[in-house]
Amino acid sequence: MKIYVVYDSEGEHTRALAESIAEGADGVSGAEVFIDHVSQADVYKLPEMDAIIWGCPGHFGTISSGLKSWIDKLGYLWAEGKLQDKIGAVFCTTATVHGGLEATMLNLITPMLHQGMIITGMPSNIRENALYGSYYGVGVTCPPDSTEAISEEGLALGRILGARVANVAKSFKNER
């Protein structure tokens, strides 16, 4: 099964989270993972994918302009129903506590729903999710003055989300 991680990142935080998600997905047997910064991401690859995970830094509770511009290119896929029943998941980073993580993720999920995708979030039984995550996907606060790109807890949640999406895609693909 093919999984595509697409991200926008202006520094190291969101890129590091995207890489941890790809790492988690890659650890699932049968997964073939592709990861691209939005500037390199190809919308024409999407119909080939079984799962699509996209994310960005949150900008005042919404999608970064780079990822939004890329998502806006998906109209022809919507018109042809090319992404229906693909597994989808989202992630984001912000610089401040209460900086709009969940609002950003809800904004990221909306285009997936319009495409007819099946959203995979993070369930409550994941211990790390209680303090560092969200039910909507992975959202990590990364203070700009931090010496680390992203916390180990954030990276762990990324790996968990990647593995979860890969396993859901694998189950869904096996049922078809």
Side-chain angles (χ1 to χ4, degrees):
M1 92 215 106
K2 294 180 178 182
I3 300 164
Y4 199 10
V5 179
V6 176
Y7 68 96
D8 189 13
S9 185
E10 295 142 5
E12 299 300 311
H13 300 109
T14 312
R15 180 192 56 76
L17 184 55
E19 289 173 351
S20 72
I21 291 167
E23 179 185 340
D26 196 46
V28 173
S29 173
E32 184 179 3
V33 180
F34 305 87
I35 180 171
D36 280 323
H37 183 273
V38 71
S39 64
Q40 303 297 314
D42 184 356
V43 296
Y44 296 103
K45 283 184 181 179
L46 295 176
E48 306 167 19
M49 300 298 147
D50 299 295
I52 302 159
I53 307 168
W54 62 47
C56 63
H59 288 190
F60 310 106
T62 194
I63 305 170
S64 68
S65 62
L67 186 58
K68 178 69 169 85
S69 292
W70 185 81
I71 289 170
D72 286 346
K73 296 175 187 173
L74 305 182
Y76 84 95
L77 294 170
W78 170 84
E80 297 177 11
K82 297 284 188 180
L83 301 184
Q84 287 180 12
D85 297 332
K86 304 281 185 193
I87 304 302
V90 300
F91 62 97
C92 77
T93 60
T94 60
T96 60
V97 175
H98 307 297
L101 287 171
E102 289 187 342
T104 301
M105 286 187 279
L106 287 170
N107 282 302
L108 288 166
I109 288 170
T110 301
M112 290 183 166
L113 292 170
H114 280 258
Q115 294 284 349
M117 295 173 67
I118 299 165
I119 309 304
T120 303
M122 296 284 280
S124 62
N125 67 341
I126 296 173
R127 183 181 53 80
E128 297 89 344
N129 200 33
L131 291 175
Y132 297 101
S134 169
Y135 299 117
Y136 307 113
V138 172
V140 179
T141 301
C142 308
D145 57 352
S146 174
T147 57
E148 59 186 340
I150 191 169
S151 68
E152 184 51 45
E153 293 87 358
L155 295 173
L157 278 173
R159 289 187 291 273
I160 291 166
L161 179 66
R164 179 167 163 70
V165 169
N167 281 313
V168 168
K170 185 177 193 176
S171 295
F172 196 74
K173 189 170 181 154
N174 288 339
E175 290 296 319
R176 296 182 120 195

